[in-house]
């Protein structure tokens, strides 16, 4: 079994969460977000569940931070909610800011490094009303929010990520319609794919000007495998690889978007998008890699671009139905270092699995999660040995929480949450991780 001593000195182990998934959006003067209304619309979210209460982390955060500390973790990746900080998208809510102020102080008191994410999907409704990420103005308002919250927390956070998983914000939410705002529209998709990176670039510029250091972005990656060796299936995998794994990182590091994706999105892109690429391509201090699974792609001739379909793979699957494929994490860590960021620090900012965990006699045994976690830690270690400058690993997630369109059914936590009583029970994976991370000082 791996331990912290199998990783380079100073390597950070952490756990991750996101505001809307744990805090409770009905508390503390938080404004409405597009997730509240998406969830309230029949058919979007299982049982129409929302983040109104979630894990009630808004009130229970001291005990949750104690859990992180007791697991021997070094860092905590959390997000600040734009809708909590600015309920109407533009006006600061002192109560919301004070919450994050206390939370960050609470981390420091427990020796946890705060890794902040500025946008983990809770777009204020006032911004959604104006077209959300299809509207360029949202990018400028996002930069204003980034600057306002950084003015308060910036002296104490260890790092700031602009956006979590732009692919989900743009593709999953505007092309597939699975997440808020639930659109299925190629023009909206093209705009969101570009604007989310423009928002990132504008925020980086603003924060750098304000003297903030350690700025990054968190991208998610999905290993794309062709269903067969046929030219059609190889094209299908390549186009998904370009949409998922190349668009965002190439926009940032190469100042261009992949031709395979512009073939579909090109006619729908915002006017003069090329003029934004310098803003988008500003220097990063680190890159966040989120990785969970692989997908198998096949050609679907006669259907509209991208003319592909997914095929169910043969590997063991998580509660989400996602194949368990740790080699994919090694692939992306080494690929990012080799093709994009060189020696720049890389963090595994999310990795984890959902499992149908059950509480029995006051305990949860989730051996399958232990295996998943340690297999991915081993893949990370191999990537380091192969030259990737990986500086930390954050498990997703600390707590069972609101899994977006899946509601509360899918459990990703190291800690079990009873969504009636909100009681927390650390699972066996939590205890295994705590043992592996014990320090000898
Ligand atoms: O719960 C999500 C998180 O919000 C973003 N990354 C993937 C996780 C699991 O689906």
């Amino acid at each position: 079994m791996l331990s912290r001593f199998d990783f380079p000195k100073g390597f950070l182990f952490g756990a991750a969460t996101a505001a809307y998934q744990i805090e409770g959006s009905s508390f503390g003067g938080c404004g409405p977000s597009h997730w509240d209304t998406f969830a309230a619309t029949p058919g979007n979210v299982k049982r129409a569940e929302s983040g109104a209460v979630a894990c009630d982390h808004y009130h229970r955060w001291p005990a949750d931070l104690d859990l992180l500390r007791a697991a021997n973790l070094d860092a905590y990746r959390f997000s600040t909610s734009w809708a909590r900080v600015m309920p109407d998208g533009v006006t600061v809510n002192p109560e919301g800011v004070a919450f994050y102020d206390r939370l960050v102080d609470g981390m420091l008191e427990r020796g946890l490094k705060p890794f902040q994410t500025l946008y983990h999907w809770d777009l204020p409704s006032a911004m959604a009303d104006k077209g959300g990420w299809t509207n360029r103005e949202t990018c400028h308002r996002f930069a204003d929010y980034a600057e306002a919250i950084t003015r308060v927390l910036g002296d104490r956070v260890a790092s700031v990520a602009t956006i979590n998983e732009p692919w989900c914000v743009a593709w999953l939410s505007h092309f597939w319609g699975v997440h808020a705002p639930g659109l299925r529209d190629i023009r909206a998709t093209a705009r969101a794919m570009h604007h989310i990176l423009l928002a990132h670039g504008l925020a980086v510029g603003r924060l750098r000007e304000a003297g903030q250091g350690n700025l990054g972005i968190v991208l998610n990656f999905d290993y794309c495998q062709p269903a067969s060796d046929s030219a059609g299936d190889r094209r299908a995998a390549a186009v998904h690889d370009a949409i998922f794994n190349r668009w965002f990182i190439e926009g940032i590091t190469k100042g261009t978007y992949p031709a395979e994706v512009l073939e579909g999105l090109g006619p729908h892109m915002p006017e003069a998008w090329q003029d934004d690429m310098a803003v988008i391509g500003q220097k990063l201090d680190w890159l966040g890699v989120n990785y969970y699974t692989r997908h198998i792609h096949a050609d679907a001739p006669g259907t509209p671009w991208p003319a592909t379909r997914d095929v169910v793979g043969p590997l063991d699957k998580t509660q989400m139905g996602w194949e368990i494929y740790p080699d994919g994490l090694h692939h992306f860590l080494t690929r990012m270092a080799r093709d994009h960021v060189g020696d720049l620090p890389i963090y595994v900012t999310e990795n984890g699995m959902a499992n149908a965990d059950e509480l029995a006699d006051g305990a949860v045994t989730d051996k399958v999660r232990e295996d998943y976690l340690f297999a991915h830690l081993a893949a990370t270690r191999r990537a380091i040995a192969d030259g990737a400058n990986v500086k930390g690993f954050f498990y997703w997630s600390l707590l069972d929480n609101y899994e977006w369109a899946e509601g509360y059914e899918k459990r990703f936590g190291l800690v079990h949450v009873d969504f009636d009583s909100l009681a927390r029970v650390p699972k066996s994976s939590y205890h295994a991780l705590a043992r592996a991370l014990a320090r000898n000082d």
Side-chain angles (χ1 to χ4, degrees):
M1 194 66 99
L2 288 173
S3 86
R4 85 159 53 245
F5 301 106
D6 293 308
F7 288 80
K9 201 162 185 296
F11 189 88
L12 295 178
F13 293 90
T17 64
Y20 192 80
Q21 293 178 271
I22 64 165
E23 287 175 1
S25 63
S26 52
F27 309 126
C30 184
S33 79
H34 68 170
W35 265 97
D36 295 315
T37 49
F38 183 73
T41 311
N44 285 340
V45 176
K46 291 212 176 121
R47 296 171 298 276
E49 289 168 340
S50 77
V53 174
C55 305
D56 186 23
H57 176 74
Y58 184 80
H59 297 106
R60 294 166 196 248
W61 63 267
D64 292 339
L65 296 188
D66 288 346
L67 283 166
L68 287 158
R69 179 74 197 128
N72 295 318
L73 293 166
D74 312 300
Y76 177 40
R77 178 169 175 248
F78 70 110
S79 79
T80 47
S81 159
W82 184 356
R84 182 179 296 290
V85 173
M86 294 173 155
D88 63 359
V90 293
T91 315
V92 170
N93 162 30
E95 206 181 342
V97 170
F99 168 69
Y100 293 119
D101 209 29
R102 291 194 295 276
L103 187 67
V104 167
D105 281 346
M107 291 178 217
L108 296 177
E109 280 158 19
R110 290 163 179 81
L112 295 162
K113 289 190 191 315
F115 272 59
Q116 180 192 5
T117 300
L118 288 164
Y119 185 74
H120 200 127
W121 309 351
D122 30 13
L123 184 74
S125 295
M127 294 291 118
D129 291 345
K130 295 184 179 174
W133 293 113
T134 68
N135 181 353
R136 187 179 178 90
E137 190 200 327
T138 303
C139 310
H140 292 279
R141 298 296 74 79
F142 174 72
D144 295 343
Y145 149 67
E147 193 179 337
I149 189 66
T150 300
R151 219 175 283 133
V152 183
L153 304 183
D155 58 336
R156 282 158 294 150
V157 291
S159 91
V160 181
T162 52
I163 308 289
N164 183 70
E165 300 184 347
W167 178 87
C168 293
V169 175
W171 194 267
L172 185 66
S173 309
H174 296 78
F175 197 75
W176 289 352
V178 174
H179 280 188
L183 296 179
R184 289 168 60 81
D185 183 282
I186 197 166
R187 179 176 166 90
T189 305
R191 276 141 208 274
M193 291 283 277
H194 180 68
H195 287 152
I196 198 64
L197 282 181
L198 178 60
H200 155 79
L202 289 170
V204 168
R206 228 35 118 67
L207 298 189
R208 280 230 191 280
E209 241 173 69
Q212 189 68 28
N214 221 13
L215 308 176
I217 186 168
V218 171
L219 306 181
N220 54 327
F221 296 93
D222 194 286
Y223 193 83
C224 298
Q225 192 133 341
S228 76
D229 215 24
S230 73
D233 289 351
R234 281 191 279 113
R235 181 206 66 83
V239 78
H240 274 284
D241 188 63
I243 293 166
F244 210 122
N245 303 318
R246 292 178 48 208
W247 177 275
F248 304 101
I249 192 67
E250 290 188 8
I252 293 168
T253 62
K254 299 195 192 303
T256 57
Y257 292 133
E260 293 89 333
V261 190
L262 286 175
E263 185 192 327
L265 299 189
H268 312 288
M269 290 292 282
E271 210 176 306
W273 59 266
Q274 293 87 345
D275 297 350
D276 296 327
M277 298 315 282
V279 173
I280 288 172
Q282 289 179 78
K283 192 185 144 299
L284 295 175
D285 299 314
W286 57 273
L287 175 69
V289 168
N290 289 2
Y291 172 78
Y292 289 88
T293 189
R294 73 165 186 179
H295 279 89
I296 299 178
H297 304 277
D299 201 17
T303 64
W305 182 89
T308 65
R309 64 186 168 83
D310 280 5
V311 174
V312 178
L315 303 179
D316 286 349
K317 297 181 184 57
T318 72
Q319 193 189 14
M320 296 291 279
W322 295 348
E323 286 192 297
I324 299 175
Y325 187 63
D327 284 352
L329 179 56
H330 173 272
H331 168 86
F332 286 114
L333 293 173
T334 49
R335 173 171 159 183
M336 286 305 115
R338 189 190 59 231
D339 296 350
H340 295 286
V341 299
D343 232 15
L344 199 76
I346 300 175
Y347 290 87
V348 178
T349 30
E350 281 183 33
N351 171 250
M353 71 171 286
N355 189 49
D357 300 316
E358 278 174 24
L359 198 59
D361 299 328
V364 177
T365 306
D366 57 341
K367 179 77 175 56
V368 65
R369 180 174 287 104
E370 291 175 37
D371 294 345
Y372 181 103
L373 168 57
F374 283 95
H376 286 83
L377 283 172
T380 304
R381 190 163 168 257
R382 276 197 294 118
I384 296 170
D386 292 340
N389 186 19
V390 188
K391 293 291 195 192
F393 180 103
F394 290 80
Y395 179 78
W396 181 273
S397 177
L398 172 66
L399 304 170
D400 290 340
N401 60 43
Y402 181 65
E403 180 51 27
W404 307 110
E406 300 292 328
Y408 291 95
E409 186 188 87
K410 304 288 193 280
R411 295 182 175 272
F412 275 91
L414 294 168
V415 175
H416 182 274
V417 177
D418 176 321
F419 290 107
D420 294 321
S421 67
L422 296 173
R424 276 80 160 140
V425 175
K427 304 177 188 176
S428 65
S429 57
Y430 171 98
H431 295 298
L433 185 61
R435 283 193 299 276
L437 300 186
R439 302 174 184 88
N440 58 8
D441 49 26

